[in-house]
Amino acid sequence: MKRIRIIHDTHYSYHEPVEFGPHRAMIRPREGHDLHIAAMELAIEPAAKVRWLRDVYGNSIAVIEFLERGSELRIHSEMAVDLFDDRPIDCAIDPSAAQYPFQYGADEQVEIVPYRLPSYPHDGPALQKWLLDLYRPGQLANTADLLLALNTRIFEGFQYIPREEAGVQLPCQTLALGSGSCRDYAVFMMEAARHWGFAARFVTGYIQMADGQHGATHAWTEIYLPGAGWRGYDPTNNKLAGSEHVSVAVAREQDKAMPIAGGWFGAGNAFKGLSVSVQVVGVDAR
């Protein structure tokens, strides 16, 4: 087990006081056998009421209702998180799914159907053509090796470029540009896996940085494998999601896993700027 400290500060500024509508924030990590929140503090300006709920994916959502106007909006969280190692993926996949292609069991089909449907069907032909270099229909492949190869090809085939603008690139845009951010990589891998018939979903969260890695706030892909469950793949850093990855939210599509969403009412030119600061560092758990 190891403990990390996450400090996440989001700051919006305006040229004049505005009225803030309700905001929804995904800032609390998903707790489970592999992650435990030891402590958490949340500070919000201006004054606000906060209530928590679970969405359809089981994510913790902070619903923020502001009590006054302001020219600054700040959402600041500090968390101490304990992370626990998990077994390697190749030791956990059920023998029935060890070779691709395979069929998901009848007892899981209903739940995973939405995660197998492409979000961008019009991009299908270009994506399927790109995938032919990794796998051709009629072949038999080791499932773990095939997914690792997909992870690696995205890492090696595209240039990582951080983007400040909202939203993600379509898979065909990532192909055409040959570049993208971590969320573009995650969407690309999610769609690619779905075209092979895998159940896949988008993940947003944090990563403890190491030399040569990208991100602090981060995005990756999870793929459902019988026996192994939802397993994370990080094509931005060419690795399996492990004890340095902290999942905050999962969703079938990335726009349902936005860290902060909300609106404001005021003059059209009132918005001044946005800054986001994230620190993810290891600490002594003793």
Side-chain angles (χ1 to χ4, degrees):
M1 184 270 287
K2 70 176 182 180
R3 176 167 293 179
I4 63 173
R5 184 166 178 248
I6 304 170
I7 303 173
H8 188 170
D9 186 84
T10 301
H11 178 214
Y12 298 84
S13 58
Y14 301 82
H15 292 290
E16 59 186 57
V18 299
E19 180 181 350
F20 299 111
H23 280 57
R24 293 164 63 91
M26 292 183 172
I27 50 180
R28 183 182 177 89
R30 292 169 58 88
E31 290 190 270
H33 64 278
D34 53 351
L35 185 153
H36 173 69
I37 300 174
M40 178 175 179
E41 296 180 4
L42 178 62
I44 299 173
E45 298 177 13
K49 295 190 301 182
V50 179
R51 64 183 177 90
W52 293 87
L53 59 82
R54 293 272 186 186
D55 69 5
V56 68
Y57 301 106
N59 303 315
S60 291
I61 311 293
V63 180
I64 305 168
E65 297 181 6
F66 292 94
L67 304 177
E68 57 190 28
R69 294 162 58 89
S71 57
E72 308 281 336
L73 188 160
R74 171 167 277 130
I75 300 175
H76 181 91
S77 64
E78 297 191 23
M79 294 167 282
V81 176
D82 293 335
L83 302 173
F84 301 86
D85 289 332
D86 207 347
R87 292 184 298 172
I89 188 173
D90 55 357
C91 297
I93 298 177
D94 189 272
S96 66
Q99 297 293 317
Y100 176 83
F102 64 87
Q103 292 291 327
Y104 286 105
D107 58 333
E108 297 177 321
Q109 288 283 359
V110 173
E111 288 81 4
I112 64 173
V113 162
Y115 299 101
R116 298 180 69 190
L117 299 175
S119 294
Y120 306 98
H122 294 296
D123 289 9
L127 198 53
Q128 289 170 338
K129 182 179 179 180
W130 183 88
L131 287 169
L132 288 175
D133 287 339
L134 292 174
Y135 175 84
R136 291 182 178 271
Q139 291 181 324
L140 190 64
N142 178 278
T143 300
D145 291 344
L146 181 64
L147 292 174
L148 286 173
L150 174 60
N151 203 47
T152 298
R153 185 162 189 230
I154 296 171
F155 171 78
E156 294 179 345
F158 301 118
Q159 180 183 4
Y160 173 82
I161 298 178
R163 296 190 299 108
E164 298 298 329
E165 60 269 23
V168 300
Q169 295 173 172
L170 300 175
C172 63
Q173 291 176 309
T174 300
L175 275 174
L177 294 170
S179 64
S181 67
C182 62
R183 61 188 186 274
D184 302 319
Y185 282 30
V187 167
F188 191 93
M189 181 160 189
M190 179 178 72
E191 285 294 286
R194 287 173 178 173
H195 279 288
W196 276 343
F198 290 99
R201 64 187 184 183
F202 183 87
V203 189
T204 183
Y206 307 103
I207 185 171
Q208 185 177 1
M209 295 296 293
D211 291 341
Q213 289 189 174
H214 302 294
T217 55
H218 199 45
W220 59 96
T221 306
E222 284 185 346
I223 297 173
Y224 186 78
L225 297 170
W230 288 104
R231 305 299 303 201
Y233 292 83
D234 180 0
T236 305
N237 295 304
N238 193 26
K239 59 169 46 180
L240 293 172
S243 60
E244 71 268 43
H245 293 75
V246 179
S247 171
V248 170
V250 299
R252 179 186 129 73
E253 297 174 330
Q254 71 287 342
D255 59 356
K256 297 178 181 177
M258 296 177 61
I260 297 175
W264 54 275
F265 305 93
N269 59 353
F271 182 71
K272 185 177 180 181
L274 163 67
S275 65
V276 179
S277 172
V278 177
Q279 299 177 54
V280 184
V281 295
V283 298
D284 188 346
R286 290 176 296 175

